[in-house]
Amino acid sequence: MGRTRLLAVAVLGVALLAAIACDPPKPPPGPPTGQCRPDPFDVQFQHDIDAFGAAAHHVTAAVYDDRTGCWYHLRQGQRVTTASVVKIEIMAATILRAQDQGRGLTQWEATRIGPMIHASDDAAASALWTNLGGVRGMSDWGARMGLGATVETEPKWGLTSTTAEDQAAFVHRLLQGDMLEPARRGLAWWELKNIREDQRWGIRYGVPPGWEVGHKNGFAGSDCCGWRVNSVGYVADPAGGGYSIAVLSDGWASLPQGVPMVEVVAGAVARSLTG
């Protein structure tokens, strides 16, 4: 394929990205009701999953239900490294910078955000991370976006550390808050909904038909922490609103070993909050 045709394809991709960006998730149908659903992380549930290694693998989760205003916590405040879930932050900072500058995404930005989110492309993430200012720039963007418990690191940005609470609150601000204009929130939502098929595990587990899920998973081995197996995103109620959720863990010997535990946690949340 010649250079001219490659350029044309890239330009077309940017145009299509703008055209297909969907609306953001519908807001909750009214003010938070305060009527909390049953806690998916009750004492018995924690006891049961700890019997299968949850405590040893630092399994932690946080959920915010914007329909009721209720939070649910599993091992609140536990710090875990992000692996690729930090790519949501990189995407958000890139979109927010464009908004600050009163422009759409450049061709260069758009053709990296897609692979970074849809296929978890590390080279695309590294390019955007560096372009946003590396660890100092991302720390500033993180502070701007309210990520008070997330500590950036480089050159291995996947070792950024965080808490489930910080991630769930951030996802809610990104998709249901006023940090981004509606069209830009819609773009972020479209990206997170269109994850590659083989990466559609994690927080979508147990979510019934008719509900929409946008998420990013983090999965990588490390010398410090074994395999990190994480899933962060938003589950949208067809009636409006929904819940933001982060499930984090580490110390696994492999990705297939960690996924079932993450999905047990996600499934418990879905049973409680989608009824």
Side-chain angles (χ1 to χ4, degrees), residues 82-88 116-117 119-120 192 195-204 213-220 228-233 247 255 259 262-263:
T82 60
S84 287
V85 298
V86 75
K87 291 170 181 173
I88 304 178
M116 177 181 71
I117 300 298
S120 205
L192 293 169
I195 300 297
R196 200 170 71 184
E197 192 68 32
D198 63 345
Q199 295 180 18
R200 294 187 178 192
W201 49 267
I203 67 157
R204 65 177 53 245
V213 180
H215 71 112
K216 179 74 191 76
N217 294 330
F219 46 98
R228 284 77 47 74
V229 183
N230 304 328
S231 189
V232 174
V247 185
L255 175 61
V259 169
V262 170
E263 294 193 331

Side-chain angles (χ1 to χ4, degrees), residues 54-77:
H57 292 287
H58 304 129
V59 177
T60 179
V63 181
Y64 176 65
D65 184 342
D66 56 32
R67 301 161 300 175
T68 64
C70 298
W71 275 95
Y72 305 91
H73 303 278
L74 173 64
R75 216 164 268 111
Q76 185 173 4

Side-chain angles (χ1 to χ4, degrees), residues 14-219:
V14 175
L16 285 173
L17 197 61
I20 62 180
C22 62
D23 291 331
K26 290 191 293 187
T33 66
Q35 298 175 344
C36 298
R37 310 286 182 96
D39 187 350
F41 308 137
D42 63 19
V43 173
Q44 185 62 54
F45 178 80
Q46 294 190 47
H47 178 269
D48 290 345
I49 64 171
D50 282 351
F52 289 91
H57 292 287
H58 304 129
V59 177
T60 179
V63 181
Y64 176 65
D65 184 342
D66 56 32
R67 301 161 300 175
T68 64
C70 298
W71 275 95
Y72 305 91
H73 303 278
L74 173 64
R75 216 164 268 111
Q76 185 173 4
Q78 173 73 58
R79 298 194 67 81
V80 178
T81 58
T82 60
S84 287
V85 298
V86 75
K87 291 170 181 173
I88 304 178
E89 182 184 350
I90 298 171
M91 173 185 70
T94 303
I95 296 172
L96 181 57
R97 179 177 62 180
Q99 177 176 282
D100 286 350
Q101 295 173 357
R103 60 172 176 82
L105 295 179
T106 66
Q107 176 187 326
W108 186 90
E109 290 167 337
T111 54
R112 283 160 180 80
I113 284 179
M116 177 181 71
I117 300 298
H118 303 168
S120 205
D121 185 278
D122 288 342
S126 293
L128 288 165
W129 174 276
T130 301
N131 187 254
L132 286 160
V135 70
R136 179 173 294 182
M138 287 302 301
S139 295
D140 291 342
W141 286 111
R144 168 90 178 275
M145 296 186 293
L147 283 157
T150 297
V151 179
E152 316 289 341
T153 187
E154 63 180 1
K156 296 182 178 179
W157 39 258
L159 294 179
T160 292
S161 65
T162 193
T163 66
E165 288 74 25
D166 216 33
Q167 292 299 305
F170 163 62
V171 167
H172 177 260
R173 286 191 297 274
L174 175 65
L175 296 173
Q176 289 285 15
D178 59 4
M179 182 171 71
L180 295 176
E181 299 162 353
R184 298 176 194 269
R185 275 188 281 125
L187 173 59
W189 181 231
W190 183 87
E191 297 284 2
L192 293 169
K193 288 198 304 177
N194 285 279
I195 300 297
R196 200 170 71 184
E197 192 68 32
D198 63 345
Q199 295 180 18
R200 294 187 178 192
W201 49 267
I203 67 157
R204 65 177 53 245
Y205 185 80
V207 175
W211 293 61
E212 290 190 306
V213 180
H215 71 112
K216 179 74 191 76
N217 294 330
F219 46 98

